[in-house]
Amino acid sequence: MASSSCSIDLSGPTYCIVSGASQGIGRAIAAEVAKLLGPKSLMLLLARKADELAKTASMCQSDNVKAIYKSIDLGKASTKEMNDVIVNSLEGYKVTDFATCLIFHNVGSLGNLAIETARIEDSNELAQYYDLNVFKVISLNTQFLKIFEAVEDRIIIVNITSLCAIKPMSGMAYYCSGKAAREMYFKVLAEEKKHIKVLNYSPGPVETSMIDYVLTEAVNDNLRDVFTSFKNQGVLLKPDMTARKCMKVLQAGKFTPGEHVDYFDDE
Ligand SMILES: NC(=O)c1ccc[n+]([C@@H]2O[C@H](COP(=O)([O-])OP(=O)(O)OC[C@H]3O[C@@H](n4cnc5c(N)ncnc54)[C@H](OP(=O)(O)O)[C@@H]3O)[C@@H](O)[C@H]2O)c1
């Protein structure tokens, strides 16, 4: 990890969005960040499964934190719907009420693992994948930036990326190319907006439904072997372990603009 910058204090009133907060890493990030937020903080949790979002919200809710959630398909939502979701969550608040405005772009999917890379040709399927994992992430981020423009220097953006954004993995062309594009967008944004803190956090291999999806869907032998051995050797991280590390990296603030920081990187 690159050298120092100042630490990040989340103990003031904070507005915080977590996308993909209904399970897995997103739920764990929401629960961990909620513990750090100061009085009068507001969290907005997004995903499709409302009942699971409600459970995450109850994990986050406290004397300091009001946690609300909205069921939304982030692969299909229009720009206006995304804008409305954020604006509606702020009813009764002004953006200046918050000392920190934080967003975790955690939503993600693996794409079609049942096709060899050399056989990919369905551009509609690819476009759908890129909608959820890249294009709509950018749209949501832009709505966030617009709404909090008056307090832009209070914005912190965390993109949940992957080792696959910087290292090719056989059998995961959708995922690797999508993660690379998404990470690069946040790096470019960080170059342009030096006063906004932008972190690309790579959570390591984590025991979530994504791992089961690889094991059932992957046609690439190498990919299945890698994940089977992760599982059999018990090396998969628990979601709360990586969420705690993410908070540690964030709070230490030692990352350069848009830096890719992995769970296993030295501090
Ligand atoms: N697990 C790993 O080993 C690993 C490693 C590196 C990076 N990551 C990254 O970490 C992030 C979280 O992964 P995870 O392992 O926790 O996956 P997960 O358990 O599959 O969770 C994905 C989350 O995204 C939400 N989501 C999926 N499609 C959506 C849609 N169309 N609209 C709104 N929300 C949607 C899901 O909620 P609903 O189904 O309720 O919509 C869920 O909350 C992803 O960006 C992933 O790429 C994971």
Side-chain angles (χ1 to χ4, degrees), residues 3-9 156 197 249-255:
S3 65
S4 88
S5 149
C6 50
S7 59
I8 293 176
D9 179 11
I156 301 172
K197 294 187 178 68
V249 171
L250 189 59
Q251 285 183 292
K254 287 182 186 162
F255 50 91

Side-chain angles (χ1 to χ4, degrees), residues 129-187:
Y129 180 76
Y130 269 72
D131 269 340
L132 175 67
N133 290 280
V134 185
F135 305 149
K136 300 289 184 174
V137 171
I138 295 173
S139 286
L140 179 66
N141 194 59
T142 297
Q143 299 321 303
F144 184 75
L145 291 175
K146 281 185 184 171
I147 290 165
F148 289 97
E149 194 172 15
V151 288
E152 208 171 69
D153 56 343
R154 303 181 195 178
I155 291 179
I156 301 172
I157 297 169
V158 182
N159 175 42
I160 301 304
T161 188
S162 166
L163 182 60
C164 293
I166 55 172
K167 188 173 185 295
M169 168 70 93
S170 309
M172 294 187 105
Y174 281 65
Y175 188 71
C176 293
S177 62
K179 282 292 189 197
R182 173 165 156 171
E183 180 168 319
M184 186 52 82
Y185 157 76
F186 284 107
K187 283 181 186 283

Side-chain angles (χ1 to χ4, degrees), residues 20 124 157 191 193 201:
N124 288 330
I157 297 169
E191 277 301 306
K193 298 270 188 190
Y201 177 72

Side-chain angles (χ1 to χ4, degrees), residues 19 84 120 159 171 195 203 211 215 222 233 243 252 263:
S19 74
D84 287 350
I120 293 174
N159 175 42
H195 51 293
I211 304 291
L215 294 176
N222 178 60
Q233 290 167 18
Y263 176 90

Side-chain angles (χ1 to χ4, degrees), residues 13-236:
T14 299
Y15 179 83
C16 175
I17 295 180
V18 183
S19 74
S22 62
Q23 63 186 47
I25 296 169
R27 169 177 279 168
I29 283 175
E32 286 303 321
V33 75
K35 294 176 192 166
L36 306 174
L37 305 185
K40 300 193 176 158
S41 292
L42 177 63
M43 291 184 72
L44 173 62
L45 309 173
L46 304 175
R48 290 167 302 181
K49 294 191 212 87
D51 48 343
E52 296 301 323
L53 282 172
K55 286 183 203 161
T56 309
S58 68
M59 293 162 78
C60 298
Q61 188 83 24
S62 71
D63 290 346
N64 284 354
V65 179
K66 179 179 172 192
I68 58 177
Y69 61 89
K70 174 76 180 167
S71 169
I72 180 169
D73 186 334
L74 288 167
K76 297 199 174 121
S78 66
T79 305
K80 183 177 181 317
E81 282 166 331
M82 290 185 185
N83 187 276
D84 287 350
V85 161
I86 304 177
V87 168
N88 292 342
S89 75
L90 286 164
E91 202 184 326
Y93 297 86
K94 301 187 293 299
V95 293
T96 47
D97 290 341
F98 301 104
T100 307
C101 313
L102 175 60
I103 186 164
F104 291 90
H105 292 286
N106 166 77
V107 70
S109 65
L110 285 165
N112 188 348
L113 302 180
I115 187 163
E116 288 175 41
T117 302
R119 293 278 178 266
I120 293 174
E121 60 188 353
D122 184 343
S123 59
N124 288 330
E125 189 182 73
L126 268 173
Q128 240 182 342
Y129 180 76
Y130 269 72
D131 269 340
L132 175 67
N133 290 280
V134 185
F135 305 149
K136 300 289 184 174
V137 171
I138 295 173
S139 286
L140 179 66
N141 194 59
T142 297
Q143 299 321 303
F144 184 75
L145 291 175
K146 281 185 184 171
I147 290 165
F148 289 97
E149 194 172 15
V151 288
E152 208 171 69
D153 56 343
R154 303 181 195 178
I155 291 179
I156 301 172
I157 297 169
V158 182
N159 175 42
I160 301 304
T161 188
S162 166
L163 182 60
C164 293
I166 55 172
K167 188 173 185 295
M169 168 70 93
S170 309
M172 294 187 105
Y174 281 65
Y175 188 71
C176 293
S177 62
K179 282 292 189 197
R182 173 165 156 171
E183 180 168 319
M184 186 52 82
Y185 157 76
F186 284 107
K187 283 181 186 283
V188 173
L189 180 72
E191 277 301 306
E192 291 179 25
K193 298 270 188 190
K194 291 269 166 39
H195 51 293
I196 295 180
K197 294 187 178 68
V198 182
L199 169 67
N200 278 297
Y201 177 72
S202 170
V206 188
E207 200 177 304
T208 69
S209 66
M210 267 199 180
I211 304 291
D212 299 325
Y213 185 84
V214 173
L215 294 176
T216 53
E217 295 293 319
V219 290
N220 183 279
D221 291 340
N222 178 60
L223 178 59
R224 262 206 328 277
D225 290 351
V226 168
F227 279 79
T228 304
S229 70
F230 278 164
K231 200 159 185 172
N232 293 345
Q233 290 167 18
V235 295
L236 292 172

